Amino acid sequence: MPLLPYLEANRLEAGCDEVGRGCLAGPVVAAAVILPNSYENQWINDSKKLSKTQREELVEEIKRASLAWALGEASVAEIDQINILNASFLAMKRAILALQTQPEHLLIDGNRWKSDLELPFTCVIKGDGKFTSIAAASILAKVHRDQFMENLAKEFPHYGWESNAGYPTKIHREGIVKHGKTPWHRNSFRLLPEQLKLDL
């Protein structure tokens, strides 16, 4: 079933989503995308439902078709300072402010949103599987962050970031046990389960 093109017709709506909240390492990255009301693309969907190749192929199409798109991120230091939820909001705010065309309404993936932006918004639970603009934002954010973590993996090769993007996989946690944490690890997160800590 195709995703919805808009919540309200003839209004500039920006779909917003972020990726990397559940990771142990790396920034949280957000994207905001404004698509024409008439835009249709049957392949655009929640980025988690697409293969790496599909996501990468869609990135250029989304950038070409959008009226405006932008990325924003919050650093590891900011995540540790203000917590991951607030850092996610900050990354989305930065993406929205970076749009060359300012939207009239925001479609936010998830169940809550807070910022000092004076823009009306609608939170949409699992919005990346419902609205094309949110799905497009999820694709741009995920491809950008995955590529960032792949590049970091060349400098820090022991954690499997080229395949896990910083999520808490077995390889990632074994890397932390054997080699310790890096400057890119989030100190405010539990990097190892209690059991693994006891075995150190």
Side-chain angles (χ1 to χ4, degrees):
M1 190 171 126
L3 305 189
L4 298 169
Y6 48 77
L7 181 63
E8 187 178 299
N10 303 315
R11 178 172 72 178
L12 275 182
E13 296 177 344
C16 308
D17 199 5
E18 49 69 32
V19 296
R21 263 172 71 168
C23 295
L24 302 180
V28 60
V29 174
V33 177
I34 303 174
L35 290 167
N37 275 182
S38 58
Y39 181 71
E40 290 180 17
N41 187 317
Q42 62 177 344
W43 300 107
I44 291 178
N45 206 330
D46 172 1
S47 63
K48 295 182 288 296
K49 295 179 180 174
L50 302 171
S51 70
K52 184 174 187 280
T53 303
Q54 286 174 317
R55 288 193 297 266
E56 289 175 351
E57 286 176 353
L58 282 166
V59 163
E60 291 311 314
E61 163 61 16
I62 291 165
K63 290 178 178 178
R64 182 197 64 75
S66 64
L67 300 174
W69 65 272
L71 293 159
E73 61 181 61
S75 68
V76 170
E78 288 170 325
I79 292 167
D80 287 341
Q81 186 177 2
I82 62 176
N83 81 40
I84 186 60
L85 181 63
N86 287 321
S88 299
F89 293 154
L90 179 60
M92 283 202 274
K93 174 186 170 182
R94 285 172 173 163
I96 293 159
L97 288 174
L99 289 167
Q100 290 192 322
T101 302
Q102 279 301 290
E104 297 167 323
H105 196 92
L106 304 175
L107 297 180
I108 305 286
D109 183 63
N111 62 358
R112 51 187 160 164
W113 164 246
K114 99 179 158 178
S115 86
D116 54 2
L117 297 176
E118 293 182 4
L119 278 170
F121 66 91
T122 302
C123 290
V124 187
I125 295 169
K126 295 187 177 173
D128 48 6
K130 295 174 182 173
F131 286 94
T132 306
S133 61
I134 300 178
S138 80
I139 292 167
L140 292 192
K142 180 155 180 58
V143 169
H144 178 82
R145 191 181 185 285
D146 284 357
Q147 290 173 346
F148 180 84
M149 295 306 291
E150 280 174 34
N151 287 330
L152 269 189
K154 294 168 189 168
E155 190 178 347
F156 301 95
H158 306 298
Y159 307 92
W161 290 345
E162 69 282 355
S163 56
N164 64 41
Y167 282 93
T169 61
K170 188 178 178 211
I171 289 172
H172 190 175
R173 285 195 154 133
E174 284 175 351
I176 297 170
V177 170
K178 289 177 186 171
H179 302 280
K181 63 186 182 182
T182 71
W184 292 95
H185 278 101
R186 300 171 181 177
N187 292 316
S188 54
F189 278 48
R190 180 181 286 180
L191 299 179
L192 297 172
E194 292 301 323
Q195 200 156 353
L196 275 177
K197 285 185 180 174
L198 294 174
D199 293 340
L200 288 177

